[in-house]
Structure formats: structure tokens, C-alpha cells
Amino acid sequence: MPATAADEKSAKRTLTGRETQLKMTWRRFKQHQLAFVSLWIVIAFYLVAIFAEFVAPTSPGDYNPRYTYAPPQGIHFIARDEDGGWQFGPYVNGYKTEIDREALRRVFTIDPEVRHPVGFFVPSEPYRLMGFIPMSRKLFGTLEPRAPFYVLGADRLGRDQLSRLVYGTRVSLSIGLVGVILSLFFGVIIGGFSGYYGGLFDSVVQRAIEFIRSLPTIPLWLGLAAAFPQDWGPLQTYFAITIILSMLGWTELARVVRGRFLALRTEDFVTAAKLDGASDYRVIVKHMVPSFTSHIIAATTLAIPGMILAETALSFLGLGLQAPIVSWGTLLQDAQNIRTLAGAPWLLSPGVVVVVAILAMNFLGDGLRDAADPYGR
């Protein structure tokens, strides 16, 4: 079968040494369309997490009891003017309030006659972006300061669900990222030494891993939640959850790394490096680890969703983060009653965000693994 022009061009780049391993991986990755789209989705999530103060229309603690369980307001971009024509201008409709005499509570309905114009980079109360950059504008919001603006609805206290979801993205994604970095460090170091040296050290490490993996998760978290000092603030609890998730999550990666080291330490290129006088550090870092980068990438990218799901599940059960910290798990705590499922289904939006984020990270991990595989086409 004759080679195509693209194949000849690729072979020429490889032969002439002008295409590095990184460029080759990137070229392969772009051919994986689902993973490439997922990359931009993950980037968007982390950009929202970084600039949460700017993206969120309000602060996560701002509330208005007049709009408890207010339904979502859809943003309209084209409206009919008084002359019967069409004009462009983003806006949201207002609310009409009615009293349900059977349930004895207020019911909100969208009022199509009331329009609140929406703009970008609107003025707001002064705040600090990322905690140190003073700003007084938001990405978007209503041009009328006191107009209701609940794109994803409001919760039981009249707080904006979209703003709380944006701030929750920062907490949940940072726990996953920081936790995986720590797990990657412990997993590669401990698993690498265990597989490279073997012997008594390998036996001790493997028995420790088996003991950690045999611990029942829920009872362990119950004990840890009770062990936290009651005077700890939300920030201290946040870091404690991150560290504990990391200490329990490194074992699987350590097993993968250890197995690869056991298989590679007898290979000819490792023996040649040792005979050439290379130190153990150089043999491990320069020769052995790059040969199974794809396995590390796959394990790491799959560990991030695992960390996010662990935090979400534990916070949902009341064993992880607690209010006033806002995370995807704590937001889902409001969706544990019948009224939410029946009358305020928009409070389940954090669950939808979790599913999208986890799928995007899994697809991204698959694409990176295939692109970095040295035995791939």
C-alpha cells in the first residue's frame, strides 16, 4: 500500500530529528478529536475556578429571602420591540409571585412583561480577584443593581445557584489537582524504589499498601471526621481533607509504577546504562520513567476524577467539607429532600457539572495515554 504524503512528511520529520517527543505526542493527541474537545472543556473549568470572583455574578454568601427557591431565568438575546420588529439585547424576565393556598407557600412564575437588561463587565461591589487583585466589575450581570438575576435559580435561602456553583468549582477542582500532585509524588517515589530495589523494602511497602487498601472507606472517614478538632476553621479542614485523600490515593499508582519497574530493570537499555556508570537516580529518571510515561499520565488523569468524586461523595454525606465552604459536594447537600426533587430540580445542577467534568477528564486521559504511548502508531 503506497504511503500518503502526510506519512512521508511525518517520517521525514522523524528521521531528520526535527520532531521532538513532545511535538510527536501533541500531533497524535490532536488526532483524538474527543480528547481534544475534552481538553478545552477542562481548561474552561479551571479558568472558571481561577477567576471565580470575576465570573460569579454575586458572592456565594449573598442571599435575598424574597427569592427563596426562585426558578432559573433564561437569558434572551433577541426581543420584539414596540413596532413589531426584532432587536438584539440580552435580558432576563422578572418574576411574578403567587400564593399556593394548598401548600401555603409562595410560587414564582416568569413574568414575560418584565425585562431586566443584561450586560457584560457590569459594575459591582469592590472585591479582590484571587484574593489580591482589587476589582469592581463582574463578567456579566443585570444593568439594574437591585433586579433579580438567577440564571440557575436560587436555593432555600435565596442565594444565587450559579455563583455558588462557580465558587464550588474552585474548591472541588483544586482538591482534585492538589491531591493528585501529592499522590503522584508518593506513588512514583515509593513505587519506583520498591520495584527498582526489591527485597525487604519491596515486601514492607507492598504489605503497607495492602493494609491501606483493606481499610473500609466509610468507617474510616467517620473516624477522621470525629477526630478533627472542633475549633478548626474551614481552611484547615480543607487542607486536611486534601492531604488525607492523597495519603489514601497513592497506593494504586505505586502498584502500577512498581510493576513497570520490575519489568524494566532487567531490560538491555537499563543494564547498558548501569554498565556505562550511570547512577541509580539517572537510570530511574532518565531511562526508566520516560519509557512508561503513558502509564503515569493515564493513572494521573484518572486519579483526578477519583479525587473529585471522593470529595463530592464525602461532602454530600456530611463527612467531608462543611458549610460555609462551597464545593460541589456541599451544594448537593441541598438536594436531599423531596421538595428539591419535585419543586426545585435546578439544585441538582452540581451533579450535572460533576458528570461533565469527570467525563471530560476521563476522555482527556485516554487521549493523552494513547498519544504518549511509545508503541502507538
Side-chain angles (χ1 to χ4, degrees):
M1 182 176 179
T4 63
D7 293 336
E8 293 178 356
K9 186 177 180 181
S10 176
K12 185 182 294 184
R13 286 199 306 266
T14 303
L15 291 174
T16 56
R18 288 183 295 175
E19 186 175 43
T20 63
Q21 180 66 29
L22 182 60
K23 291 182 178 179
M24 186 183 302
T25 301
W26 175 247
R27 176 173 54 83
R28 290 175 177 173
F29 178 75
K30 289 192 296 184
Q31 296 174 357
H32 197 302
Q33 297 182 358
L34 187 58
F36 192 68
V37 173
S38 298
L39 171 64
W40 292 107
I41 295 176
V42 172
I43 290 175
F45 270 108
Y46 276 99
L47 286 177
V48 169
I50 293 172
F51 303 104
E53 294 90 351
F54 176 64
V55 175
T58 64
S59 173
D62 292 347
Y63 67 95
N64 190 336
R66 295 177 55 192
Y67 297 103
T68 56
Y69 290 116
Q73 297 169 292
I75 299 180
H76 305 272
F77 292 93
I78 300 177
R80 187 182 294 273
D81 56 22
E82 297 178 356
D83 299 330
W86 298 94
Q87 62 179 1
F88 176 79
Y91 70 93
V92 294
N93 292 118
Y95 291 114
K96 288 192 300 184
T97 304
E98 300 176 355
I99 301 298
D100 187 345
R101 298 187 180 279
E102 296 182 359
L104 297 178
R105 60 183 176 89
R106 289 181 301 176
V107 177
F108 291 93
T109 57
I110 300 297
D111 187 356
E113 302 298 328
V114 178
R115 299 176 182 176
H116 302 296
V118 175
F120 292 94
F121 306 105
V122 296
S124 68
E125 295 292 332
Y127 64 93
R128 291 187 178 273
L129 181 64
M130 294 184 287
F132 63 92
I133 302 177
M135 294 187 66
S136 59
R137 287 188 178 272
K138 296 286 188 176
L139 177 61
F140 63 98
T142 58
L143 300 180
E144 303 170 2
R146 296 186 178 182
F149 187 63
Y150 300 103
V151 177
L152 290 182
D155 65 2
R156 59 187 178 86
L157 297 179
R159 296 172 296 191
D160 179 30
Q161 182 72 1
L162 174 61
S163 299
R164 292 172 60 78
L165 189 59
V166 169
Y167 278 89
T169 300
R170 167 179 289 179
V171 174
S172 294
L173 290 186
S174 62
I175 278 186
L177 188 60
V178 174
V180 164
I181 290 175
L182 294 176
S183 297
L184 179 65
F185 174 79
F186 289 119
V188 172
I189 296 299
I190 297 176
F193 278 100
S194 178
Y196 185 77
Y197 291 107
L200 178 61
F201 180 76
D202 180 42
S203 299
V204 173
V205 169
Q206 296 312 306
R207 301 295 82 77
I209 291 176
E210 291 170 359
F211 173 75
I212 293 175
R213 295 177 65 88
S214 67
L215 295 175
T217 305
I218 299 300
L220 176 64
W221 274 104
L222 286 171
L224 291 174
F228 286 158
Q230 296 296 322
D231 57 346
W232 274 18
L235 188 61
Q236 292 173 301
T237 305
Y238 170 83
F239 281 109
I241 293 290
T242 302
I243 293 174
I244 292 172
L245 285 175
S246 305
M247 296 301 295
L248 297 178
W250 64 270
T251 55
E252 184 175 355
L253 180 59
R255 278 283 178 88
V256 173
V257 174
R258 180 238 183 197
R260 295 299 300 173
F261 268 67
L262 287 175
L264 291 174
R265 67 180 183 177
T266 58
E267 292 288 338
D268 293 339
F269 71 93
V270 176
T271 304
K274 292 180 179 178
L275 294 175
D276 196 41
S279 62
D280 290 344
Y281 173 80
R282 183 173 180 84
V283 171
I284 293 174
V285 175
K286 298 294 184 180
H287 298 281
M288 299 181 71
V289 172
S291 65
F292 62 98
T293 304
S294 61
H295 292 79
I296 296 178
I297 291 174
T300 302
T301 52
L302 293 177
I304 293 177
M307 289 283 183
I308 295 174
L309 286 176
E311 181 277 322
T312 302
L314 292 169
S315 298
F316 174 76
L317 294 174
L319 304 178
L321 301 178
Q322 300 294 325
I325 292 182
V326 181
S327 71
W328 290 343
T330 56
L331 288 177
L332 284 173
Q333 288 181 351
D334 293 334
Q336 298 187 55
N337 54 72
I338 300 299
R339 180 180 178 182
T340 298
L341 298 178
W346 52 87
L347 295 184
L348 294 172
S349 55
V352 178
V353 174
V354 169
V355 172
V356 173
I358 298 303
L359 287 177
M361 290 181 180
N362 285 333
F363 291 144
L364 175 61
D366 290 340
L368 289 174
R369 178 195 59 198
D370 296 341
D373 188 359
Y375 304 103
R377 294 189 301 172

